[in-house]
Amino acid sequence: MARMHLGVKNRIGFFIERAKGLNLRSVAERARIAAQQHGRWAPAVFLDMIWSAAFRDTAFNDYFELDFAMLNRAERRTFMTSPISNHIAMKYDAVSKRSLFHDKIAFNHTFGAYLGREWLDLRTSTPDDVRDFAQRYEFVIGKAPLGQAGQGVERYVVAEVTDWEAFLTELRDKGQILLEENITQHPDLAAVCPGTVNTTRVNTFFDGTDVHILSWAQKFGRGSVSDQPISGGFYTMLDENGHSFGVGHTGKNTNSFPTHPESGVSIPDFQLPLVEELKTLIGGIGRLVPEMPYVGWDFVIGAEGPLVVEGNWLPGIYEHKPSVTGIRRGTRPRFEKIIGA
């Protein structure tokens, strides 16, 4: 298996930053819980966590969430971890272009052709502008441009707004200076959870010629505006054809979702619609900023086709969770095949 040459400097810098915030009490608590879950001796798990963090590019959260306490060394070697993702991003993604992904307004300007929805910059908008924009829709979405993991995102019912000047002031006070049309998702996604726009996370790498899908996962919400775990959401990994690998999980705990808790729709039977159309979109958007080859995209299969929600220059890790799914092989071999020398 090819190893990714990610640079000693980035690895050392990442380790030093993590070491500064080391909380041994927290690590010990995670080790205790992991040991209980997997029938291991807690002190041994604790020492293994420290060793893995220092020499195996495995953050403490990764060790805990990816169930490394139940995996052997060869199995662990197949899983992506946060430090490895960080190393890839720091090596390949140009510093000068990262703001295009960090700032949602800059992102909308750059990738406007792929958004599939209207939006408004509230920094220069008047109450009349907001009214004229919002009254075309039943719902609108207010976003803080620098928010992450669903934070700073809120859905508003347009019919409930009576004072547009006050509404604009409220949005600005919350830092939600980006207003977007609410996305209408494909019926197959709405059947699982109609109250949330359920996004598809796709990590990609552009090698200068082709845009490669490294891994992808389908996220599902629970009715909130966000499908993130902090809002009750969960996900399932997808195979190369966009079909679910199995039950859903949060990646954070041992909760299992064989069906969606509200709709009752089977998660293992889920098939992402319009897969080929999404792959075509990925092939176009992934080469638009070639200085940023490694990106974690959030897409939605809309009622009229796939569209992009946002891109992350430092992609989070979405992986199989062995204790929930029974799958003991991760996505790292694909990353190494595409990115490794």
Side-chain angles (χ1 to χ4, degrees):
M1 189 184 299
R3 290 180 179 271
M4 292 175 281
H5 300 301
L6 302 173
V8 174
K9 181 179 179 181
N10 284 338
R11 290 178 182 274
I12 293 175
F14 184 85
F15 181 77
I16 290 175
E17 286 302 311
R18 288 301 176 94
K20 290 178 181 178
L22 179 61
N23 184 334
L24 289 178
R25 186 185 298 272
S26 176
V27 177
E29 177 61 16
R30 293 178 199 176
R32 182 189 65 80
I33 296 173
Q36 286 182 340
Q37 290 176 344
H38 304 297
R40 297 282 306 279
W41 186 43
V45 173
F46 175 79
L47 292 176
D48 193 29
M49 290 180 74
I50 298 295
W51 173 267
S52 297
F55 301 106
R56 293 288 182 262
D57 287 319
T58 304
F60 300 129
N61 275 342
D62 296 328
Y63 187 103
F64 182 75
E65 293 174 2
L66 296 175
D67 298 323
F68 272 20
M70 67 177 284
L71 303 180
N72 61 39
R73 182 172 177 179
E75 291 168 336
R76 294 178 185 186
R77 180 71 178 76
T78 68
F79 281 80
M80 278 296 294
T81 65
S82 300
I84 295 174
S85 182
N86 179 277
H87 300 329
I88 297 172
M90 296 301 289
K91 177 175 180 178
Y92 291 101
D93 288 346
V95 175
S96 62
K97 299 294 183 178
R98 293 174 188 174
S99 61
L100 299 180
F101 294 81
H102 189 57
D103 185 324
K104 292 180 174 62
I105 292 178
F107 182 88
N108 282 10
H109 278 294
T110 304
F111 299 100
Y114 299 93
L115 293 177
R117 62 191 181 281
E118 293 189 305
W119 59 281
L120 191 65
D121 184 344
L122 300 187
R123 293 174 297 186
T124 56
S125 300
T126 67
D128 288 342
D129 294 331
V130 176
R131 181 198 61 213
D132 293 342
F133 173 87
Q135 287 187 336
R136 295 198 291 270
Y137 311 107
E138 182 179 2
F139 305 101
V140 289
I141 307 298
K143 294 183 176 181
L146 303 182
Q148 295 179 320
Q151 296 178 339
V153 179
E154 196 168 351
R155 179 170 52 209
Y156 297 93
V157 180
V158 175
E160 295 178 355
V161 180
T162 57
D163 186 330
W164 293 99
E165 183 172 359
F167 182 55
L168 176 56
T169 298
E170 176 188 354
L171 291 170
R172 286 174 172 169
D173 288 345
K174 292 179 177 179
Q176 297 174 0
I177 56 174
L178 173 60
L179 196 64
E180 292 187 346
E181 168 190 354
N182 187 58
I183 297 170
T184 300
Q185 63 188 335
H186 190 280
D188 290 359
L189 289 168
V192 183
C193 181
T196 301
V197 174
N198 305 287
T199 60
T200 306
R201 163 56 63 90
V202 185
N203 288 343
T204 66
F205 189 83
F206 178 50
D207 64 9
T209 302
D210 298 312
V211 180
H212 301 273
I213 294 176
L214 301 171
S215 65
W216 50 355
Q218 180 58 48
K219 295 183 280 186
F220 297 107
R222 301 287 300 277
S224 170
V225 67
S226 171
D227 55 16
Q228 296 292 328
I230 193 174
S231 300
F234 61 94
Y235 69 91
T236 180
M237 300 299 291
L238 302 176
D239 67 17
E240 62 182 8
N241 299 310
H243 193 277
S244 170
F245 266 105
V247 298
H249 58 91
T250 67
K252 307 295 183 183
N253 51 49
T254 58
N255 290 347
S256 174
F257 296 89
T259 61
H260 191 281
E262 280 71 53
S263 67
V265 172
S266 169
I267 302 303
D269 291 335
F270 176 78
Q271 171 64 53
L272 186 70
L274 305 181
V275 169
E276 293 307 314
E277 289 84 347
L278 176 57
K279 289 181 178 179
T280 298
L281 186 153
I282 291 169
I285 199 171
R287 67 185 71 238
L288 195 59
V289 184
E291 300 90 343
M292 300 292 288
Y294 180 52
V295 178
W297 307 93
D298 285 328
F299 297 101
V300 169
I301 307 301
E304 299 180 1
L307 53 90
V308 67
V309 176
E310 65 181 20
N312 303 272
W313 75 267
L314 188 58
I317 296 303
Y318 288 78
E319 268 288 11
H320 303 289
K321 188 168 180 63
S323 65
V324 175
T325 66
I327 299 173
R328 301 172 73 105
R329 180 177 175 83
T331 64
R332 184 172 170 182
R334 174 72 176 170
F335 283 72
E336 294 182 326
K337 178 181 178 181
I338 300 302
I339 303 173

